[in-house]
Amino acid sequence: MAKKNDYTEQDILFEDQKIVDIDIEKEVKKSFIEYSMSVITSRALPDARDGMKPGQRRIMYAMYEDNLTHDKPYCKSATTVGNVLGRYHPHGDAAVYGTMVRFAQDFSMRYKLVDGQGNFGSVDGDGAAAYRYTEARMSRIADYLMKDIEKDVVDFAPNFDNKRKEPTVLPSKFPNLLVNGSIGIAVGMATYIPPHNLCEVIEATEYRMDHPDCSVEELMQYIKGPDFPTAATIYGTRGIIDAYRTGKGRVMVRAKGEIEAEKNRIIYTEIPYQVNKSELCKSIGQLVKDKRIEGITDVRDESGKDGMRIVIEYRRDANGQVIMNQLYKYTQLQDTCAINMLALVDGEPKILPLSDILDIYIKHQKQVITRRTAFELRKAEKRAHILEGYIVATDNIDEVVEIMKTSESIPHSKERLCTRFGLSDEQAQAIVEMTLGRLTGLERQKIEDELHKLQELIADLRDILANEYRVMDIIKEEMNEIKDKFGDERLTDIVEAEEEIDLEDLIERHTCVITMTNSGYIKRQHVSEYTAQNRGGVGKIGMTTKEDDFIDKVTVMNSHSYLMLFTNTGRVYTVKAYRIPEASRTAKGTNVVNILELREDEKITAVIGIKDFVDGEYLTMVTKNGVIKKTLLTDFEYQRKGGKIAIGLDEGDELVSVLHTNGDNDVIIASHEGHTVRFSEQNVRAMGRPARGVKGMSLREGDYIKGVAIVEEGKTLLTITEKGKGKRTEFGDFRNMKNRGGTGYMCHNITEETGLIAGIAAVGEEDDIMVITDQGTIIRTGVSSINTYSRTAAGVRVMNVDSDAIISNIVRIAPESEIAEEEAQIEQEVQAENKLLREKEVQIEEEIETVDNEE
């Protein structure tokens, strides 16, 4: 017989619970994953929409519930901490109070969210007083985090004990994630989003709303970089650009100091963000004690009501600049801010570039405004419905009173009113609850006035819901209100780091030829590869092409200029010319899809070189079907990797030609069959990038645009046909039409011997031209060797073309004098840059030698 405490392995019972064998490794792994996800989603990481972690959001909402707004009296911090713990956040009181304290510190928050009274700590690392001694309320700007939260603008979820509901996100009328930043360490990941200037962030948000495909460079016109509450100086911009492009970057922050050489001392008035001033001074003293920095005689902290002031005195024979550089090297007077913009998006942690953060915030605000408008519409419609019932009652007051007098009960009177006047239950209920005073004529007029205003409001609210642009305008209006109230000047300066040498400066500057084939193979060569030949030559092989491929685009430009490549679908991609891979004269080149992120069925149809994006200049575009459009060149300055819209196209149309113009030129458009129109560019108004343009030339059936040229003084119009015949014609032979859109007149005598028009160009007497065949042969010849004839002439032989080949394109090459002048200017710039670099190297060597001698 088994004893009382004898149990079998398979069936051990404790309090009616069976023990189950489990794999401890799997259980620990499962539990740790659950814990990790809890830390990530519910504690350590902010939501990308309002920039708040759950604990922070609960503090703000609990204060809002307790009506602790900026215009109400302060309340003991202990009260708020207790309410947060009891209602929403069943964790430690130290964590809740610590978050409140940080919200109230002007050296931690760029814009404080808590208005504290009492000791809330210092930049020296002193802790705040206990929560029984301090008082707090929401700051003025914090009201805008909570604004309209009672109007169903965000979702609510049950709290930990299901007795209350708490918001899953705050309305946040300003982009708090960027404005105040966030720091958090989760399991296996961490976030560090630095604070930014409110005005800059709001302006960038508005720009993103107007230009949803804008680049990081465009946004950085507004957001220059982080803006720390402790000011200091950001040293170098490359880390900022990396952070905004990818979500990750390292920014170097330096204390702001000044050397007072006559008094042998250095004064620091600003230190990097999150650096403990007291510990900083101690570390400087320790470096002096350990003799790692020599020459310092005293370190004093003279900070007070007038601001921060750290004084470092040094010996008369010491070099103040060397000591300052050593302090930057060995102490937190120079600190690295490792930006990692990690936040929760739909509950999932993601590293977000600047554009994504703004997009998420804009989407959130659109939902907030839409839900608020819908809430106000429901409320207005409900009130209007009641007022309509009141009007029915006042119009039939005697009968209404009689019905109520003769009814057995209130429910019975409501039923009779509904039956007699077709009222709803809500209207009938409101009528039976009316007081006698509402039956006067004056009250009737008030009801009608209120109903009229409500009807106007309802129409306006419905219009908002029907038009997204009105929602966007409301968002901008509300953000601008915040900017006007709380916006301030940037605190943190940004300077270029002297050691940040752009790789571009190391690339040789020269005039290059960019050639591209019909199939999309592109390459770069030095212009000297193509020496001039006499008119009528056979040319050189400019590229080895496939049997069914041919060169159809050639551009001559500076290697450091911008190469703009336009596609048939009306998009434009911009790269520096030197980024096009260099290849030999006979090499095929690189397929453009390996350089640009072209979309499916996109093909490059126009290529131009731009030295710089000058304000007041234009890109004039012409499509295959004769549509013309001009757009400010500055609209294309900042590019996205995936390209930008350059022109909106009708179905079946393609972009074929693009010119760089100044807005006052005359333009000549030529068709494949030799028809030409000339008109002033002023007849074409400037339009935005997505616009479609206006008619520039009316085409005959089967004809299409082949070339565009600008009328320039001292130049002539060169026309080349597919079979190698060419001529120059004075621009005076082409009369200026008052209106665009005509069918035009002939620019070349087209015959079977000449073939159709291959291209046109405005050329000067000293220019060279390149003529390209569809088989890859290129000839470079002087313009002066081509005779000048009338419009109707057939021209002379410019290039001998094989019987099975045709000329596909021509391109002008600037005269040697113009190229030499530009290269001389470039050479001067390079020499000036090299001189500065050499001077800096000498200075650094002298400083190192001084330090070595002192050691």
Side-chain angles (χ1 to χ4, degrees):
M1 184 176 178
K3 293 181 181 179
K4 185 176 181 181
N5 292 332
D6 287 344
Y7 302 101
T8 64
E9 286 186 29
Q10 293 78 18
D11 192 21
I12 304 178
L13 298 176
F14 290 100
E15 299 179 358
D16 299 326
Q17 297 294 317
K18 182 178 289 187
I19 293 178
V20 180
D21 288 336
I22 61 169
D23 187 328
I24 189 65
E25 182 179 347
K26 289 181 179 179
E27 181 64 22
V28 170
K29 184 177 180 180
K30 174 174 172 290
S31 299
F32 185 74
I33 289 173
E34 290 175 353
Y35 164 74
S36 302
M37 289 307 298
S38 173
V39 172
I40 290 168
T41 60
S42 302
R43 287 173 65 180
L45 298 185
D47 192 293
R49 296 169 292 177
D50 63 357
M52 290 280 179
K53 303 174 188 177
Q56 297 172 335
R57 190 179 299 116
R58 287 163 177 167
I59 291 171
M60 300 311 299
Y61 186 61
M63 296 181 81
Y64 177 79
E65 273 190 320
D66 294 337
N67 207 24
L68 295 179
T69 53
H70 74 277
D71 53 347
K72 301 297 188 299
Y74 291 95
C75 176
K76 279 289 184 185
S77 299
T79 302
T80 299
V81 171
N83 289 339
V84 172
L85 295 176
R87 297 174 192 170
Y88 306 114
H89 201 70
H91 299 282
D93 60 341
V96 174
Y97 186 52
T99 302
M100 274 187 66
V101 166
R102 188 170 186 277
F103 276 177
Q105 293 174 336
D106 58 4
F107 54 87
S108 293
M109 303 294 289
R110 184 62 180 83
Y111 301 90
K112 295 191 301 179
L113 299 179
V114 169
D115 180 10
Q117 186 167 265
N119 175 17
F120 278 85
S122 73
V123 73
D124 286 312
D126 301 319
Y131 53 54
R132 61 182 176 274
Y133 299 118
T134 62
E135 296 178 332
R137 63 185 178 190
M138 294 169 65
S139 68
R140 186 181 296 269
I141 197 173
D143 289 353
Y144 289 90
L145 286 175
M146 316 299 303
K147 190 176 181 183
D148 298 325
I149 196 170
E150 72 283 353
K151 293 184 178 180
D152 190 34
V153 293
V154 294
D155 292 333
F156 279 70
N159 70 335
F160 63 91
D161 60 3
N162 289 323
K163 292 180 179 178
R164 291 175 175 266
K165 288 192 177 291
E166 60 176 311
T168 57
V169 67
L170 299 183
S172 188
K173 295 296 182 178
F174 61 94
N176 183 57
L177 182 65
L178 284 173
V179 168
N180 276 316
S182 186
I183 301 172
I185 301 174
V187 178
M189 60 184 70
T191 185
Y192 187 99
I193 303 173
H196 291 78
N197 183 271
L198 179 70
C199 293
E200 293 181 358
V201 172
I202 288 177
E203 287 170 3
T205 305
E206 291 178 0
Y207 185 84
R208 184 70 177 179
M209 292 166 72
D210 293 333
H211 304 82
D213 62 344
C214 67
S215 65
V216 165
E217 287 78 6
E218 287 177 275
L219 292 174
M220 286 185 67
Q221 293 179 90
Y222 303 95
I223 301 180
K224 310 299 182 184
D227 191 24
F228 301 109
T230 52
T233 301
I234 293 176
Y235 194 65
T237 57
R238 189 166 298 163
I240 300 173
I241 296 170
D242 289 342
Y244 289 168
R245 280 179 178 167
T246 67
K248 286 188 172 185
R250 299 176 69 83
V251 175
M252 190 179 294
V253 186
R254 278 187 172 182
K256 185 170 287 186
E258 182 181 353
I259 299 174
E260 295 183 354
E262 68 281 359
K263 295 182 179 180
N264 298 315
R265 66 185 185 183
I266 304 170
I267 309 294
Y268 288 101
T269 54
E270 299 169 5
I271 62 174
Y273 185 54
Q274 299 287 298
V275 169
N276 186 311
K277 177 163 63 69
S278 177
E279 292 298 322
L280 174 64
C281 293
K282 287 181 183 177
S283 68
I284 295 172
Q286 190 62 43
L287 287 169
V288 175
K289 184 178 179 181
D290 295 341
K291 296 187 177 181
R292 293 188 67 187
I293 299 179
E294 294 190 352
I296 295 177
T297 59
D298 191 18
V299 179
R300 297 192 307 275
D301 183 3
E302 297 181 357
S303 305
K305 291 182 179 180
D306 295 332
M308 187 178 296
R309 181 180 169 90
I310 301 172
V311 180
I312 297 173
E313 295 186 348
Y314 56 87
R315 294 196 310 259
R316 293 179 62 183
D317 60 343
N319 186 318
Q321 186 63 54
V322 171
I323 290 176
M324 178 179 271
N325 290 341
Q326 289 176 320
L327 288 170
Y328 284 142
K329 181 177 181 180
Y330 295 122
T331 73
Q332 282 189 296
L333 285 169
Q334 178 174 291
D335 202 21
T336 300
C337 170
I339 299 174
N340 188 38
M341 298 201 289
L342 180 72
L344 295 176
V345 181
D346 297 328
E348 181 182 347
K350 289 184 178 180
I351 294 175
L352 302 170
L354 178 62
S355 53
D356 286 2
I357 291 177
L358 295 180
D359 287 342
I360 291 166
Y361 176 75
I362 292 167
K363 180 182 177 182
H364 173 55
Q365 283 308 298
K366 286 165 68 175
Q367 292 175 345
V368 166
I369 298 301
T370 301
R371 290 179 63 163
R372 184 184 72 187
T373 305
F375 175 87
E376 291 174 345
L377 178 60
R378 291 193 299 270
K379 184 178 178 181
E381 287 176 335
K382 184 177 180 181
R383 178 60 180 166
H385 184 61
I386 298 299
L387 292 177
E388 288 168 353
Y390 283 166
I391 289 175
V392 170
T394 54
D395 287 345
N396 302 275
I397 189 61
D398 293 335
E399 190 174 352
V400 169
V401 172
E402 184 61 29
I403 288 173
M404 296 184 67
K405 283 171 59 179
T406 58
S407 297
E408 299 174 358
S409 62
I410 290 177
H412 184 221
S413 65
K414 283 170 57 180
E415 183 180 348
R416 290 178 65 190
L417 288 170
C418 292
T419 303
R420 172 64 185 86
F421 299 110
L423 302 173
S424 67
D425 186 66
E426 292 83 2
Q427 289 173 322
Q429 180 65 36
I431 289 170
V432 299
E433 292 177 354
M434 283 177 66
T435 61
L436 291 175
R438 300 299 296 273
L439 304 179
T440 64
L442 182 61
E443 285 296 322
R444 160 64 189 258
Q445 186 59 45
K446 286 183 179 180
I447 292 170
E448 289 181 348
D449 292 344
E450 184 182 355
L451 180 59
H452 178 69
K453 289 180 180 178
L454 278 174
Q455 288 169 341
E456 290 180 347
L457 175 62
I458 289 169
D460 184 56
L461 293 172
R462 286 175 177 168
D463 185 63
I464 292 171
L465 292 174
N467 296 286
E468 184 176 318
Y469 76 88
R470 289 206 59 193
V471 174
M472 302 293 255
D473 287 344
I474 292 170
I475 296 171
K476 292 178 187 176
E477 183 181 337
E478 294 184 349
M479 286 197 299
N480 280 321
E481 178 190 345
I482 295 171
K483 184 177 77 170
D484 293 341
K485 285 185 177 180
F486 305 103
D488 56 4
E489 294 295 323
R490 162 174 281 277
L491 299 178
T492 303
D493 294 331
I494 300 175
V495 298
E496 290 289 342
E498 293 175 2
E499 64 268 20
E500 277 194 336
I501 301 174
D502 199 323
L503 292 177
E504 181 173 308
D505 297 332
L506 306 177
I507 297 170
E508 177 199 4
R509 296 173 184 264
H510 63 271
T511 302
C512 61
V513 179
I514 307 291
T515 56
M516 188 171 183
T517 74
N518 184 60
S519 296
Y521 285 89
I522 190 169
K523 68 175 181 177
R524 173 174 54 89
Q525 299 165 262
H526 201 287
V527 73
S528 59
E529 289 279 332
Y530 299 96
T531 55
Q533 296 183 19
N534 294 326
R535 175 174 63 80
V538 296
K540 292 183 178 181
I541 296 296
M543 180 183 285
T544 302
T545 59
K546 297 184 295 183
E547 186 175 342
D548 57 346
D549 199 8
F550 57 91
I551 294 176
D552 68 347
K553 279 170 281 294
V554 177
T555 302
V556 181
M557 59 192 297
N558 189 285
S559 59
H560 282 237
S561 293
Y562 295 93
L563 180 67
M564 302 187 75
L565 301 102
F566 297 81
T567 71
N568 57 327
T569 61
R571 295 184 71 80
V572 59
Y573 300 79
T574 303
V575 295
K576 281 296 186 79
Y578 63 74
R579 294 193 180 277
I580 303 300
E582 190 170 9
S584 67
R585 184 168 53 82
T586 57
K588 182 171 65 173
T590 305
N591 198 310
V592 72
V593 298
N594 296 321
I595 302 171
L596 308 176
E597 293 183 358
L598 292 179
R599 302 184 179 187
E600 191 175 355
D601 299 328
E602 264 193 320
K603 179 183 176 183
I604 304 297
T605 56
V607 178
I608 64 169
I610 298 293
K611 187 174 181 180
D612 207 351
F613 294 90
V614 181
D615 191 20
E617 296 184 359
Y618 299 87
L619 289 183
T620 299
M621 291 161 268
V622 180
T623 73
K624 185 177 181 180
N625 293 343
V627 173
I628 186 169
K629 189 194 86 164
K630 73 176 182 183
T631 301
L632 279 168
L633 184 59
T634 50
D635 284 2
F636 298 90
E637 182 171 4
Y638 298 103
Q639 276 288 319
R640 296 173 63 239
K641 194 175 181 182
K644 264 186 173 181
I645 296 172
I647 183 173
L649 295 173
D650 294 324
E651 188 174 351
D653 202 1
E654 293 183 1
L655 177 62
V656 296
S657 186
V658 182
L659 292 176
H660 180 193
T661 62
N662 62 20
D664 296 325
N665 301 114
D666 276 6
V667 177
I668 288 185
I669 304 176
S671 75
H672 192 218
E673 295 178 358
H675 298 284
T676 310
V677 293
R678 171 181 173 176
F679 55 86
S680 173
E681 188 187 346
Q682 293 179 343
N683 290 339
V684 183
R685 64 181 178 85
M687 302 180 184
R689 287 188 297 101
R692 282 178 165 76
V694 294
K695 182 171 285 294
M697 182 177 182
S698 296
L699 297 169
R700 292 164 174 79
E701 186 175 353
D703 200 5
Y704 58 89
I705 300 300
K706 190 61 181 177
V708 185
I710 298 171
V711 178
E712 299 179 66
E713 188 177 351
K715 293 189 176 182
T716 53
L717 182 70
L718 174 70
T719 54
I720 301 286
T721 66
E722 291 179 339
K723 294 189 178 180
K725 286 293 189 77
K727 66 181 175 70
R728 290 187 288 153
T729 305
E730 296 290 345
F731 282 121
D733 284 5
F734 300 91
R735 70 179 185 275
N736 195 335
M737 298 181 175
K738 292 183 179 180
N739 299 314
R740 52 181 167 73
T743 55
Y745 35 80
M746 298 300 294
C747 66
H748 205 110
N749 184 14
I750 301 297
T751 65
E752 187 174 340
E753 182 184 354
T754 63
L756 299 174
I757 294 294
I760 67 172
V763 294
E765 190 70 26
E766 296 182 1
D767 291 346
D768 285 356
I769 60 165
M770 281 187 175
V771 184
I772 309 103
T773 73
D774 60 358
Q775 293 185 350
T777 302
I778 298 177
I779 184 174
R780 173 176 173 175
T781 188
V783 166
S784 58
S785 65
I786 303 173
N787 296 337
T788 302
Y789 294 101
S790 67
R791 281 193 301 107
T792 55
V796 295
R797 178 69 57 188
V798 176
M799 182 178 185
N800 285 314
V801 184
D802 293 340
S803 58
D804 58 343
I806 61 171
I807 290 175
S808 60
N809 202 0
I810 60 172
V811 64
R812 167 188 174 264
I813 300 176
E816 296 297 332
S817 58
E818 186 179 322
I819 294 171
E821 184 180 341
E822 184 177 1
E823 289 183 342
Q825 182 181 350
I826 292 168
E827 183 62 28
Q828 287 179 356
E829 293 173 358
V830 171
Q831 287 179 358
E833 291 171 1
N834 290 338
K835 183 180 179 182
L836 289 174
L837 288 173
R838 284 194 297 271
E839 289 175 354
K840 183 61 182 175
E841 289 172 359
V842 170
Q843 181 185 345
I844 292 171
E845 288 173 0
E846 289 175 351
E847 291 175 358
I848 293 172
E849 185 177 350
T850 302
V851 173
D852 291 341
N853 290 338
E854 290 175 352
E855 290 179 351

